[in-house]
C-alpha cells in the first residue's frame, strides 16, 4: 500500500505491506487488548510495526537528511523523522492489523485482509 506523505514533507511517501508478517503478528498478540502499555512497551511495539511493515519510503529527518527504511535505520534516525509522518504510517498499519484474527495458542491465526 502506497502512502502519500507529500503534504507533510515534499516528495515523501511510504510503502507498507498489505499483510502483517507472522513475526509481527506474534508481537502484536502479546499486547492485544491491553490499554495500559508502559511507554517502553509502546516504543517496542511501534518500532516492531515500522520495521516489519514499511518496505520502502522516501523520508527525511528534521535536518533534511534521507532516513533509511525502519528495518535498516537506527532508533535515533527514526526519532528524528517528523512525528506526523510516523503517526500516519502507524495509523494505516493499525487499519491493516485490525483485520487480523490472532489466537497465538490455537495455531489457526489468520489474516482477513
Amino acid at each position: 500500500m502506497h502512502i502519500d506523505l507529500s503534504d507533510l514533507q515534499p516528495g515523501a511517501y511510504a510503502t507498507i505491506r498489505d499483510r502483517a508478517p507472522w513475526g509481527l503478528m506474534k508481537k502484536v498478540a502479546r499486547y492485544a487488548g491491553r490499554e495500559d502499555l508502559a511507554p517502553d512497551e509502546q516504543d517496542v511495539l511501534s518500532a516492531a510495526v515500522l520495521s516489519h511493515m514499511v518496505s520502502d519510503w522516501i523520508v527525511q529527518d528534521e535536518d533534511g537528511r534521507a532516513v533509511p527504511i525502519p528495518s535498516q535505520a537506527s532508533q535515533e534516525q527514526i526519532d528524528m523523522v517528523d512525528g506526523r509522518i510516523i503517526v500516519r504510517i502507524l495509523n494505516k498499519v493499525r487499519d491493516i492489523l485490525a483485520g487480523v484474527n490472532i489466537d497465538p495458542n490455537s495455531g489457526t491465526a489468520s489474516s482477513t485482509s
Side-chain angles (χ1 to χ4, degrees), residues 15-38:
T15 303
I16 59 174
R17 300 179 193 287
D18 292 329
R19 293 192 172 99
W22 178 238
L24 178 61
M25 290 169 57
K26 291 189 299 185
K27 287 179 183 178
V28 170
R30 288 185 204 135
Y31 300 105
R34 288 188 49 200
E35 295 185 20
D36 63 336
L37 292 180

Side-chain angles (χ1 to χ4, degrees), residues 28 34 42-43 45-47 53 85 93 103 107-108:
V28 170
R34 288 188 49 200
Q42 291 174 350
D43 289 346
L45 187 56
S46 293
M53 293 298 288
I85 289 174
V93 171
D103 177 354
T108 61

